[in-house]
Amino acid sequence: MADKAAPDSSRRSERSRRAILDAALELLGELGYPRLTVEAIAARAGVGKQTIYRWWPSKAAVLLDAFTDRGATPEGAEASEGAERAGAALPDTGDLEADLKLVLRAAVDQMNAPAYDLPARALTAEGLVNPELGAHFVAQVLEPPLRLFAERLRAAQDAGQVARDIDPRVAVELVCGPLTHRWLLRTLPLTHEYADAVVETALRGILQK
Amino acid sequence: MADKAAPDSSRRSERSRRAILDAALELLGELGYPRLTVEAIAARAGVGKQTIYRWWPSKAAVLLDAFTDRGATPEGAEASEGAERAGAALPDTGDLEADLKLVLRAAVDQMNAPAYDLPARALTAEGLVNPELGAHFVAQVLEPPLRLFAERLRAAQDAGQVARDIDPRVAVELVCGPLTHRWLLRTLPLTHEYADAVVETALRGILQK
């Protein structure tokens, strides 16, 4: 009996964990981040509040796990495509402009999709005023795609397409910063046309030649 | 008697309003935004909680008034210099690169100064998940300097320095987006050197000529 207890308990734990993460994402869509609470997540998941606090320190920590976990499941794949797909390299057809437009258009679609927008926006907001959570979010969610962009630009530099004196990291932020700015601050519509314009302007520069 | 009651009451109101706004900024520095409450602001300002709710719907609304008000007072001027100084035009010496570097270095100093960073960061975070407050923050705080940048770039376009086919608004975001990205997300240090690199890369472009 004792031999069987451990696997059963671990299966139960995994079932509770999954229910908690699913409840967090569902309730985020229903209540919005400011009104999301650990109590509500516990009630929806059918667990006690203390079960959540045993594993996570805050609603933001639950949400970060729910968000990063989902990218690994088939149903979450769509929300994690494009620039944010960790691990995969960016396309390299030899045409830097076309490759960047393809990836940034996918990033625009992702930022406009509630399944990505809601948790990523909530975690960004929390991270702005909660440096510890913010550091985890940046390291786990933002830095991996930024590194892929930098690698693609370094390859273009090696191929003689990007100027020698360009810092790839600065170039990455020149391309990704404006999209993030519009996405987060909702200053103007975030469209494929905007993504294209950012790529064209960043590649050729603002100055009259 | 009735004639004197109104001015007295209006002076008292203005004194309470000032005390509430000052308390909100002080407590933000002491507690951080997540732990800031309307109750704490009321206690520090020496007013009842209902006095605050009579004038503002939330702690974020108090903070937005405190932040935008301060820019109008002498002691707040330092926190509102550079790119964020509403109303003033950007410098135009005829040297676009030098002018942009000057303004963006001032913006970096501002973003790194707690008197600007704390309230602007808290209001940005709140605005990300509270669209109504976010729209007010963007309209009152972010759009005025973005329009000044666009005007400066349009002047450079008229002077033949900026390419004809550039959309000034896209160019503005190409310059301001990367700085905002580093400031808010704390991905890497926000320095004068970074501001210079963003200006140089945006003006000349990433591509090998």
Side-chain angles (χ1 to χ4, degrees):
Chain A
M1 288 299 280
D3 284 344
K4 292 184 79 180
D8 274 1
S9 141
S10 133
R11 261 198 301 275
R12 263 201 311 278
S13 285
E14 178 51 28
R15 211 160 43 225
S16 296
R17 187 178 158 279
R18 202 59 262 164
I20 292 165
L21 299 183
D22 289 347
L25 290 173
E26 271 173 37
L27 287 167
L28 177 65
E30 294 169 25
L31 304 175
Y33 187 64
R35 291 170 58 217
L36 181 69
T37 59
V38 167
E39 287 77 0
I41 298 170
R44 175 71 56 95
V47 304
K49 198 169 123 175
Q50 286 318 311
T51 302
I52 295 185
Y53 281 122
R54 198 158 63 227
W55 292 330
W56 294 279
S58 64
K59 69 174 183 178
V62 178
L63 202 55
L64 180 57
D65 272 4
F67 181 65
T68 53
D69 242 53
R70 208 191 34 186
T73 66
E75 67 271 29
E78 204 182 330
S80 306
E81 264 175 36
E84 310 288 334
R85 190 174 44 199
L90 255 59
D92 189 349
T93 65
D95 182 341
L96 180 63
E97 181 166 339
D99 292 348
L100 288 179
K101 284 181 176 177
L102 185 78
V103 176
L104 286 186
R105 283 171 170 229
V108 163
D109 291 344
Q110 183 183 54
M111 290 166 169
N112 285 330
Y116 177 89
D117 172 64
L118 288 175
R121 172 179 295 280
L123 289 163
T124 303
E126 179 72 35
L128 294 196
V129 290
N130 176 342
E132 199 189 341
L133 188 282
H136 282 294
F137 178 69
V138 166
Q140 290 180 44
V141 177
L142 290 187
E143 281 296 339
L146 292 179
R147 276 197 294 273
L148 297 183
F149 271 98
E151 281 167 27
R152 179 66 187 84
L153 285 163
R154 211 167 284 115
Q157 207 165 32
D158 291 343
Q161 295 159 349
V162 163
R164 275 276 138 237
D165 59 349
I166 292 292
D167 177 343
R169 174 71 192 211
V170 172
V172 167
E173 293 177 43
L174 206 68
V175 168
C176 298
L179 268 80
T180 306
H181 192 263
R182 271 205 191 186
W183 168 51
L184 289 175
L185 301 171
R186 301 188 184 94
T187 46
L188 286 171
L190 184 60
T191 61
H192 285 188
E193 291 65 34
Y194 180 63
D196 289 356
V198 166
V199 171
E200 289 165 16
T201 312
L203 288 180
R204 284 180 213 117
I206 293 169
L207 292 181
Q208 178 65 45
K209 302 300 177 303
Chain B
M1 287 298 281
D3 284 343
K4 292 183 77 180
D8 275 3
S9 142
S10 133
R11 262 199 300 277
R12 263 201 311 277
S13 283
E14 178 51 29
R15 212 159 43 226
S16 294
R17 187 178 158 278
R18 202 58 262 163
I20 291 165
L21 299 182
D22 290 346
L25 291 172
E26 273 173 36
L27 286 167
L28 177 67
E30 293 169 26
L31 304 175
Y33 187 65
R35 290 172 57 218
L36 182 68
T37 60
V38 167
E39 286 77 0
I41 298 171
R44 175 70 58 93
V47 303
K49 200 171 120 175
Q50 285 319 311
T51 302
I52 295 185
Y53 282 124
R54 200 158 60 227
W55 293 328
W56 295 278
S58 65
K59 69 174 183 177
V62 178
L63 203 54
L64 179 57
D65 272 3
F67 182 64
T68 53
D69 241 53
R70 209 190 36 185
T73 66
E75 67 269 29
E78 205 182 331
S80 303
E81 264 174 38
E84 310 288 334
R85 190 174 45 197
L90 255 59
D92 188 348
T93 65
D95 182 341
L96 180 63
E97 180 166 342
D99 291 348
L100 288 178
K101 284 182 176 175
L102 185 77
V103 175
L104 285 185
R105 283 172 170 226
V108 162
D109 291 344
Q110 182 182 55
M111 289 166 170
N112 285 329
Y116 178 89
D117 172 63
L118 288 174
R121 172 180 297 279
L123 289 164
T124 303
E126 178 73 34
L128 294 195
V129 290
N130 176 342
E132 198 189 344
L133 188 283
H136 281 295
F137 178 69
V138 166
Q140 289 179 45
V141 177
L142 289 188
E143 281 296 340
L146 292 178
R147 275 197 295 273
L148 297 183
F149 271 99
E151 281 167 26
R152 179 67 187 84
L153 285 162
R154 211 167 283 119
Q157 207 165 31
D158 292 342
Q161 295 160 351
V162 163
R164 276 275 139 237
D165 60 348
I166 292 291
D167 177 343
R169 175 69 192 212
V170 172
V172 166
E173 293 177 43
L174 205 70
V175 168
C176 297
L179 268 80
T180 306
H181 192 263
R182 271 206 192 186
W183 167 51
L184 289 176
L185 301 170
R186 300 190 184 94
T187 45
L188 286 171
L190 184 60
T191 60
H192 285 188
E193 291 65 36
Y194 180 62
D196 288 356
V198 166
V199 171
E200 290 164 15
T201 311
L203 289 180
R204 284 182 212 115
I206 293 169
L207 292 181
Q208 178 65 44
K209 303 300 176 306

Short mmCIF file of all heavy atoms in Angstrom, two decimals, chain A residues 23-82:
data_model
loop_
_atom_site.label_atom_id
_atom_site.label_comp_id
_atom_site.label_asym_id
_atom_site.label_seq_id
_atom_site.Cartn_x
_atom_site.Cartn_y
_atom_site.Cartn_z
N ALA A 23 -7.32 27.42 -14.05
CA ALA A 23 -8.26 28.36 -13.41
C ALA A 23 -7.70 29.78 -13.47
O ALA A 23 -8.45 30.74 -13.70
CB ALA A 23 -8.50 27.94 -11.95
N ALA A 24 -6.39 29.93 -13.28
CA ALA A 24 -5.78 31.27 -13.29
C ALA A 24 -5.98 31.93 -14.65
O ALA A 24 -6.36 33.11 -14.74
CB ALA A 24 -4.30 31.18 -12.95
N LEU A 25 -5.75 31.17 -15.74
CA LEU A 25 -5.90 31.75 -17.08
C LEU A 25 -7.37 32.04 -17.40
O LEU A 25 -7.69 33.10 -17.97
CB LEU A 25 -5.31 30.80 -18.13
CG LEU A 25 -3.78 30.68 -18.09
CD1 LEU A 25 -3.31 29.59 -19.06
CD2 LEU A 25 -3.11 32.01 -18.44
N GLU A 26 -8.26 31.13 -17.03
CA GLU A 26 -9.70 31.35 -17.26
C GLU A 26 -10.18 32.61 -16.55
O GLU A 26 -10.84 33.45 -17.13
CB GLU A 26 -10.50 30.18 -16.66
CG GLU A 26 -10.74 29.00 -17.58
CD GLU A 26 -11.40 27.86 -16.80
OE1 GLU A 26 -12.26 28.14 -15.92
OE2 GLU A 26 -11.04 26.71 -17.07
N LEU A 27 -9.82 32.71 -15.25
CA LEU A 27 -10.32 33.83 -14.44
C LEU A 27 -9.70 35.15 -14.87
O LEU A 27 -10.33 36.20 -14.76
CB LEU A 27 -10.04 33.57 -12.96
CG LEU A 27 -10.95 32.51 -12.34
CD1 LEU A 27 -10.42 32.08 -10.98
CD2 LEU A 27 -12.38 33.05 -12.21
N LEU A 28 -8.49 35.10 -15.38
CA LEU A 28 -7.87 36.33 -15.89
C LEU A 28 -8.74 36.89 -17.01
O LEU A 28 -9.00 38.10 -17.06
CB LEU A 28 -6.46 36.03 -16.41
CG LEU A 28 -5.73 37.21 -17.04
CD1 LEU A 28 -5.45 38.29 -16.00
CD2 LEU A 28 -4.43 36.76 -17.71
N GLY A 29 -9.20 36.00 -17.90
CA GLY A 29 -10.06 36.45 -19.00
C GLY A 29 -11.41 36.96 -18.51
O GLY A 29 -11.98 37.87 -19.09
N GLU A 30 -11.92 36.37 -17.43
CA GLU A 30 -13.25 36.75 -16.95
C GLU A 30 -13.24 38.00 -16.07
O GLU A 30 -14.13 38.85 -16.14
CB GLU A 30 -13.87 35.59 -16.14
CG GLU A 30 -14.17 34.37 -17.00
CD GLU A 30 -14.53 33.14 -16.17
OE1 GLU A 30 -15.00 33.31 -15.03
OE2 GLU A 30 -14.31 32.02 -16.66
N LEU A 31 -12.22 38.11 -15.20
CA LEU A 31 -12.21 39.19 -14.19
C LEU A 31 -11.27 40.33 -14.54
O LEU A 31 -11.43 41.44 -14.05
CB LEU A 31 -11.76 38.62 -12.83
CG LEU A 31 -12.55 37.45 -12.25
CD1 LEU A 31 -11.89 36.96 -10.97
CD2 LEU A 31 -13.98 37.89 -11.98
N GLY A 32 -10.25 40.06 -15.36
CA GLY A 32 -9.19 41.04 -15.55
C GLY A 32 -8.17 40.90 -14.41
O GLY A 32 -8.50 40.40 -13.34
N TYR A 33 -6.94 41.36 -14.65
CA TYR A 33 -5.88 41.13 -13.68
C TYR A 33 -6.11 41.81 -12.33
O TYR A 33 -5.88 41.19 -11.28
CB TYR A 33 -4.53 41.55 -14.26
CG TYR A 33 -3.37 41.18 -13.37
CD1 TYR A 33 -3.07 39.85 -13.12
CD2 TYR A 33 -2.58 42.15 -12.78
CE1 TYR A 33 -2.02 39.48 -12.30
CE2 TYR A 33 -1.52 41.80 -11.96
CZ TYR A 33 -1.25 40.47 -11.73
OH TYR A 33 -0.20 40.12 -10.91
N PRO A 34 -6.57 43.09 -12.31
CA PRO A 34 -6.71 43.74 -11.00
C PRO A 34 -7.66 42.98 -10.07
O PRO A 34 -7.45 42.97 -8.86
CB PRO A 34 -7.27 45.12 -11.35
CG PRO A 34 -6.81 45.38 -12.75
CD PRO A 34 -6.83 44.03 -13.42
N ARG A 35 -8.71 42.33 -10.62
CA ARG A 35 -9.70 41.66 -9.77
C ARG A 35 -9.40 40.16 -9.58
O ARG A 35 -10.13 39.47 -8.84
CB ARG A 35 -11.11 41.88 -10.32
CG ARG A 35 -11.55 43.35 -10.16
CD ARG A 35 -12.84 43.65 -10.92
NE ARG A 35 -13.92 42.79 -10.47
CZ ARG A 35 -14.87 42.29 -11.27
NH1 ARG A 35 -14.83 42.54 -12.57
NH2 ARG A 35 -15.81 41.53 -10.79
N LEU A 36 -8.37 39.66 -10.22
CA LEU A 36 -7.98 38.26 -10.03
C LEU A 36 -7.39 38.10 -8.62
O LEU A 36 -6.61 38.93 -8.17
CB LEU A 36 -6.91 37.89 -11.07
CG LEU A 36 -6.38 36.45 -11.06
CD1 LEU A 36 -7.47 35.48 -11.52
CD2 LEU A 36 -5.16 36.33 -11.97
N THR A 37 -7.83 37.03 -7.90
CA THR A 37 -7.30 36.79 -6.56
C THR A 37 -6.93 35.31 -6.41
O THR A 37 -7.46 34.45 -7.13
CB THR A 37 -8.34 37.12 -5.46
OG1 THR A 37 -9.49 36.28 -5.68
CG2 THR A 37 -8.75 38.58 -5.49
N VAL A 38 -6.06 35.03 -5.46
CA VAL A 38 -5.70 33.64 -5.14
C VAL A 38 -6.94 32.89 -4.65
O VAL A 38 -7.14 31.72 -4.99
CB VAL A 38 -4.56 33.60 -4.10
CG1 VAL A 38 -4.39 32.20 -3.53
CG2 VAL A 38 -3.25 34.09 -4.73
N GLU A 39 -7.81 33.57 -3.89
CA GLU A 39 -9.04 32.96 -3.41
C GLU A 39 -9.90 32.48 -4.58
O GLU A 39 -10.42 31.36 -4.57
CB GLU A 39 -9.87 33.96 -2.58
CG GLU A 39 -9.34 34.27 -1.20
CD GLU A 39 -8.15 35.24 -1.22
OE1 GLU A 39 -7.72 35.69 -2.32
OE2 GLU A 39 -7.62 35.54 -0.14
N ALA A 40 -10.07 33.33 -5.58
CA ALA A 40 -10.92 32.96 -6.72
C ALA A 40 -10.30 31.80 -7.50
O ALA A 40 -11.02 30.90 -7.96
CB ALA A 40 -11.11 34.18 -7.64
N ILE A 41 -8.98 31.81 -7.64
CA ILE A 41 -8.30 30.70 -8.35
C ILE A 41 -8.53 29.39 -7.60
O ILE A 41 -8.86 28.36 -8.19
CB ILE A 41 -6.79 30.99 -8.51
CG1 ILE A 41 -6.56 32.25 -9.36
CG2 ILE A 41 -6.09 29.79 -9.15
CD1 ILE A 41 -5.11 32.75 -9.38
N ALA A 42 -8.39 29.44 -6.27
CA ALA A 42 -8.57 28.23 -5.44
C ALA A 42 -9.99 27.70 -5.58
O ALA A 42 -10.20 26.49 -5.80
CB ALA A 42 -8.25 28.56 -3.98
N ALA A 43 -10.98 28.61 -5.51
CA ALA A 43 -12.38 28.19 -5.61
C ALA A 43 -12.65 27.53 -6.97
O ALA A 43 -13.25 26.47 -7.05
CB ALA A 43 -13.30 29.38 -5.39
N ARG A 44 -12.18 28.16 -8.05
CA ARG A 44 -12.42 27.62 -9.38
C ARG A 44 -11.71 26.28 -9.58
O ARG A 44 -12.23 25.38 -10.24
CB ARG A 44 -11.96 28.64 -10.44
CG ARG A 44 -12.03 28.16 -11.88
CD ARG A 44 -13.44 28.04 -12.42
NE ARG A 44 -14.24 29.25 -12.33
CZ ARG A 44 -14.38 30.15 -13.34
NH1 ARG A 44 -13.79 29.95 -14.49
NH2 ARG A 44 -15.14 31.21 -13.16
N ALA A 45 -10.52 26.15 -9.00
CA ALA A 45 -9.74 24.91 -9.18
C ALA A 45 -10.20 23.81 -8.23
O ALA A 45 -9.79 22.66 -8.35
CB ALA A 45 -8.25 25.20 -8.97
N GLY A 46 -11.05 24.16 -7.26
CA GLY A 46 -11.53 23.18 -6.29
C GLY A 46 -10.45 22.73 -5.32
O GLY A 46 -10.41 21.58 -4.89
N VAL A 47 -9.56 23.66 -4.96
CA VAL A 47 -8.53 23.36 -3.96
C VAL A 47 -8.61 24.41 -2.87
O VAL A 47 -9.27 25.44 -3.03
CB VAL A 47 -7.11 23.35 -4.56
CG1 VAL A 47 -7.01 22.37 -5.72
CG2 VAL A 47 -6.70 24.75 -5.00
N GLY A 48 -7.92 24.16 -1.76
CA GLY A 48 -7.85 25.16 -0.70
C GLY A 48 -6.83 26.23 -1.06
O GLY A 48 -5.89 25.99 -1.81
N LYS A 49 -7.04 27.44 -0.53
CA LYS A 49 -6.12 28.55 -0.75
C LYS A 49 -4.70 28.17 -0.34
O LYS A 49 -3.71 28.57 -0.97
CB LYS A 49 -6.64 29.71 0.10
CG LYS A 49 -6.14 31.07 -0.25
CD LYS A 49 -6.96 32.10 0.53
CE LYS A 49 -6.04 32.96 1.37
NZ LYS A 49 -6.75 34.07 2.05
N GLN A 50 -4.61 27.38 0.76
CA GLN A 50 -3.29 27.01 1.27
C GLN A 50 -2.53 26.11 0.31
O GLN A 50 -1.30 26.11 0.29
CB GLN A 50 -3.40 26.34 2.65
CG GLN A 50 -3.73 27.34 3.76
CD GLN A 50 -2.95 28.64 3.63
OE1 GLN A 50 -1.73 28.65 3.44
NE2 GLN A 50 -3.67 29.78 3.66
N THR A 51 -3.26 25.33 -0.50
CA THR A 51 -2.60 24.51 -1.52
C THR A 51 -1.85 25.40 -2.51
O THR A 51 -0.73 25.11 -2.92
CB THR A 51 -3.65 23.65 -2.27
OG1 THR A 51 -4.33 22.85 -1.30
CG2 THR A 51 -2.99 22.76 -3.31
N ILE A 52 -2.49 26.50 -2.88
CA ILE A 52 -1.83 27.43 -3.82
C ILE A 52 -0.61 28.07 -3.15
O ILE A 52 0.48 28.09 -3.72
CB ILE A 52 -2.83 28.50 -4.32
CG1 ILE A 52 -3.93 27.82 -5.15
CG2 ILE A 52 -2.10 29.57 -5.13
CD1 ILE A 52 -4.91 28.79 -5.79
N TYR A 53 -0.80 28.55 -1.92
CA TYR A 53 0.32 29.23 -1.25
C TYR A 53 1.46 28.26 -0.91
O TYR A 53 2.58 28.71 -0.64
CB TYR A 53 -0.17 29.97 0.01
CG TYR A 53 -0.83 31.29 -0.34
CD1 TYR A 53 -2.14 31.57 0.05
CD2 TYR A 53 -0.14 32.26 -1.07
CE1 TYR A 53 -2.75 32.78 -0.27
CE2 TYR A 53 -0.74 33.47 -1.39
CZ TYR A 53 -2.04 33.72 -0.99
OH TYR A 53 -2.62 34.91 -1.32
N ARG A 54 1.18 26.95 -0.88
CA ARG A 54 2.27 26.00 -0.66
C ARG A 54 3.20 25.99 -1.87
O ARG A 54 4.40 25.79 -1.75
CB ARG A 54 1.68 24.60 -0.42
CG ARG A 54 2.64 23.64 0.24
CD ARG A 54 1.92 22.49 0.93
NE ARG A 54 1.18 21.68 -0.03
CZ ARG A 54 -0.09 21.29 0.12
NH1 ARG A 54 -0.77 21.61 1.20
NH2 ARG A 54 -0.69 20.57 -0.79
N TRP A 55 2.67 26.24 -3.06
CA TRP A 55 3.47 26.15 -4.28
C TRP A 55 3.89 27.50 -4.87
O TRP A 55 4.88 27.58 -5.59
CB TRP A 55 2.71 25.33 -5.35
CG TRP A 55 2.56 23.87 -5.00
CD1 TRP A 55 3.42 23.11 -4.26
CD2 TRP A 55 1.49 22.99 -5.37
NE1 TRP A 55 2.95 21.82 -4.14
CE2 TRP A 55 1.76 21.71 -4.82
CE3 TRP A 55 0.31 23.15 -6.12
CZ2 TRP A 55 0.93 20.62 -5.00
CZ3 TRP A 55 -0.52 22.06 -6.30
CH2 TRP A 55 -0.21 20.80 -5.74
N TRP A 56 3.05 28.52 -4.65
CA TRP A 56 3.33 29.83 -5.26
C TRP A 56 3.15 30.94 -4.23
O TRP A 56 2.22 30.88 -3.43
CB TRP A 56 2.36 30.10 -6.41
CG TRP A 56 2.50 29.20 -7.59
CD1 TRP A 56 3.42 29.29 -8.60
CD2 TRP A 56 1.68 28.05 -7.90
NE1 TRP A 56 3.22 28.28 -9.51
CE2 TRP A 56 2.16 27.51 -9.11
CE3 TRP A 56 0.59 27.44 -7.28
CZ2 TRP A 56 1.60 26.37 -9.70
CZ3 TRP A 56 0.02 26.33 -7.87
CH2 TRP A 56 0.53 25.80 -9.07
N PRO A 57 3.97 32.00 -4.28
CA PRO A 57 3.85 33.08 -3.30
C PRO A 57 2.74 34.09 -3.63
O PRO A 57 2.36 34.87 -2.74
CB PRO A 57 5.22 33.76 -3.36
CG PRO A 57 5.74 33.48 -4.73
CD PRO A 57 5.18 32.13 -5.11
N SER A 58 2.24 34.13 -4.86
CA SER A 58 1.30 35.20 -5.25
C SER A 58 0.52 34.81 -6.50
O SER A 58 0.90 33.87 -7.20
CB SER A 58 2.08 36.48 -5.55
OG SER A 58 2.91 36.25 -6.69
N LYS A 59 -0.53 35.57 -6.81
CA LYS A 59 -1.29 35.31 -8.03
C LYS A 59 -0.41 35.51 -9.26
O LYS A 59 -0.55 34.79 -10.26
CB LYS A 59 -2.53 36.21 -8.11
CG LYS A 59 -2.25 37.70 -8.33
CD LYS A 59 -3.54 38.52 -8.54
CE LYS A 59 -3.24 39.98 -8.84
NZ LYS A 59 -4.44 40.80 -9.08
N ALA A 60 0.54 36.45 -9.19
CA ALA A 60 1.42 36.70 -10.34
C ALA A 60 2.31 35.48 -10.61
O ALA A 60 2.55 35.13 -11.76
CB ALA A 60 2.28 37.94 -10.09
N ALA A 61 2.78 34.83 -9.54
CA ALA A 61 3.64 33.66 -9.70
C ALA A 61 2.85 32.49 -10.32
O ALA A 61 3.37 31.76 -11.17
CB ALA A 61 4.23 33.26 -8.36
N VAL A 62 1.58 32.33 -9.91
CA VAL A 62 0.72 31.30 -10.53
C VAL A 62 0.58 31.59 -12.02
O VAL A 62 0.75 30.71 -12.87
CB VAL A 62 -0.68 31.28 -9.88
CG1 VAL A 62 -1.57 30.25 -10.58
CG2 VAL A 62 -0.61 30.98 -8.39
N LEU A 63 0.31 32.84 -12.33
CA LEU A 63 0.07 33.24 -13.72
C LEU A 63 1.32 33.04 -14.57
O LEU A 63 1.23 32.62 -15.74
CB LEU A 63 -0.39 34.70 -13.74
CG LEU A 63 -1.18 35.16 -14.96
CD1 LEU A 63 -2.40 34.29 -15.21
CD2 LEU A 63 -1.60 36.62 -14.77
N LEU A 64 2.48 33.34 -14.00
CA LEU A 64 3.72 33.15 -14.77
C LEU A 64 3.91 31.68 -15.13
O LEU A 64 4.23 31.35 -16.27
CB LEU A 64 4.93 33.68 -13.98
CG LEU A 64 6.29 33.54 -14.68
CD1 LEU A 64 6.31 34.25 -16.03
CD2 LEU A 64 7.42 34.10 -13.80
N ASP A 65 3.66 30.78 -14.16
CA ASP A 65 3.76 29.35 -14.46
C ASP A 65 2.71 28.91 -15.47
O ASP A 65 2.99 28.12 -16.37
CB ASP A 65 3.63 28.52 -13.17
CG ASP A 65 4.97 28.33 -12.48
OD1 ASP A 65 5.97 28.92 -12.97
OD2 ASP A 65 5.02 27.62 -11.46
N ALA A 66 1.49 29.43 -15.31
CA ALA A 66 0.41 29.07 -16.25
C ALA A 66 0.79 29.49 -17.66
O ALA A 66 0.59 28.76 -18.62
CB ALA A 66 -0.89 29.73 -15.82
N PHE A 67 1.37 30.68 -17.77
CA PHE A 67 1.71 31.24 -19.09
C PHE A 67 2.88 30.50 -19.73
O PHE A 67 2.84 30.14 -20.91
CB PHE A 67 2.04 32.71 -18.92
CG PHE A 67 2.37 33.42 -20.20
CD1 PHE A 67 1.41 33.56 -21.19
CD2 PHE A 67 3.64 33.94 -20.41
CE1 PHE A 67 1.71 34.21 -22.39
CE2 PHE A 67 3.94 34.59 -21.59
CZ PHE A 67 2.98 34.73 -22.59
N THR A 68 3.92 30.24 -18.96
CA THR A 68 5.09 29.58 -19.55
C THR A 68 4.80 28.10 -19.79
O THR A 68 5.29 27.53 -20.76
CB THR A 68 6.34 29.74 -18.65
OG1 THR A 68 6.02 29.29 -17.33
CG2 THR A 68 6.79 31.19 -18.58
N ASP A 69 4.00 27.47 -18.93
CA ASP A 69 3.59 26.09 -19.12
C ASP A 69 2.81 25.89 -20.41
O ASP A 69 2.98 24.92 -21.12
CB ASP A 69 2.64 25.69 -17.98
CG ASP A 69 3.20 24.56 -17.16
OD1 ASP A 69 4.35 24.72 -16.70
OD2 ASP A 69 2.51 23.54 -16.99
N ARG A 70 1.91 26.83 -20.68
CA ARG A 70 0.99 26.67 -21.80
C ARG A 70 1.71 26.61 -23.13
O ARG A 70 1.30 25.92 -24.06
CB ARG A 70 -0.02 27.80 -21.81
CG ARG A 70 -1.32 27.39 -22.44
CD ARG A 70 -2.15 28.60 -22.66
NE ARG A 70 -1.30 29.73 -22.99
CZ ARG A 70 -1.75 30.94 -23.12
NH1 ARG A 70 -3.01 31.20 -22.90
NH2 ARG A 70 -0.94 31.92 -23.45
N GLY A 71 2.83 27.35 -23.22
CA GLY A 71 3.61 27.31 -24.44
C GLY A 71 4.08 25.91 -24.78
O GLY A 71 4.36 25.60 -25.94
N ALA A 72 4.16 25.03 -23.76
CA ALA A 72 4.69 23.68 -23.97
C ALA A 72 3.60 22.69 -24.36
O ALA A 72 3.89 21.57 -24.74
CB ALA A 72 5.39 23.21 -22.70
N THR A 73 2.31 23.10 -24.29
CA THR A 73 1.23 22.17 -24.62
C THR A 73 0.71 22.46 -26.03
O THR A 73 0.83 23.58 -26.51
CB THR A 73 0.06 22.34 -23.63
OG1 THR A 73 -0.50 23.64 -23.82
CG2 THR A 73 0.53 22.19 -22.20
N PRO A 74 0.11 21.45 -26.69
CA PRO A 74 -0.38 21.67 -28.06
C PRO A 74 -1.37 22.83 -28.14
O PRO A 74 -1.27 23.68 -29.02
CB PRO A 74 -1.06 20.34 -28.40
CG PRO A 74 -0.47 19.33 -27.49
CD PRO A 74 -0.12 20.07 -26.24
N GLU A 75 -2.33 22.89 -27.18
CA GLU A 75 -3.33 23.95 -27.27
C GLU A 75 -2.73 25.33 -27.03
O GLU A 75 -3.33 26.35 -27.35
CB GLU A 75 -4.52 23.70 -26.31
CG GLU A 75 -4.18 23.79 -24.85
CD GLU A 75 -3.74 22.44 -24.28
OE1 GLU A 75 -3.18 21.61 -25.04
OE2 GLU A 75 -3.95 22.22 -23.09
N GLY A 76 -1.53 25.37 -26.44
CA GLY A 76 -0.91 26.66 -26.19
C GLY A 76 0.04 27.07 -27.30
O GLY A 76 0.50 28.20 -27.35
N ALA A 77 0.29 26.13 -28.23
CA ALA A 77 1.31 26.40 -29.24
C ALA A 77 0.99 27.64 -30.06
O ALA A 77 1.85 28.46 -30.33
CB ALA A 77 1.46 25.19 -30.15
N GLU A 78 -0.30 27.80 -30.39
CA GLU A 78 -0.67 28.93 -31.25
C GLU A 78 -0.34 30.27 -30.58
O GLU A 78 0.06 31.21 -31.24
CB GLU A 78 -2.16 28.86 -31.57
CG GLU A 78 -2.50 29.60 -32.85
CD GLU A 78 -3.99 29.57 -33.12
OE1 GLU A 78 -4.63 28.59 -32.72
OE2 GLU A 78 -4.48 30.52 -33.72
N ALA A 79 -0.52 30.32 -29.27
CA ALA A 79 -0.25 31.56 -28.54
C ALA A 79 1.25 31.81 -28.39
O ALA A 79 1.65 32.88 -27.98
CB ALA A 79 -0.91 31.52 -27.17
N SER A 80 2.06 30.84 -28.72
CA SER A 80 3.50 31.00 -28.48
C SER A 80 4.29 30.98 -29.77
O SER A 80 5.49 30.80 -29.76
CB SER A 80 4.00 29.89 -27.56
OG SER A 80 3.25 29.85 -26.40
N GLU A 81 3.61 31.15 -30.89
CA GLU A 81 4.32 31.12 -32.16
C GLU A 81 5.08 32.40 -32.43
O GLU A 81 5.06 33.34 -31.66
CB GLU A 81 3.33 30.89 -33.30
CG GLU A 81 3.26 29.42 -33.68
CD GLU A 81 2.20 29.17 -34.71
OE1 GLU A 81 2.02 30.03 -35.56
OE2 GLU A 81 1.56 28.11 -34.62
N GLY A 82 5.77 32.42 -33.54
CA GLY A 82 6.43 33.65 -33.97
C GLY A 82 7.63 33.98 -33.12
O GLY A 82 8.38 33.09 -32.72
#
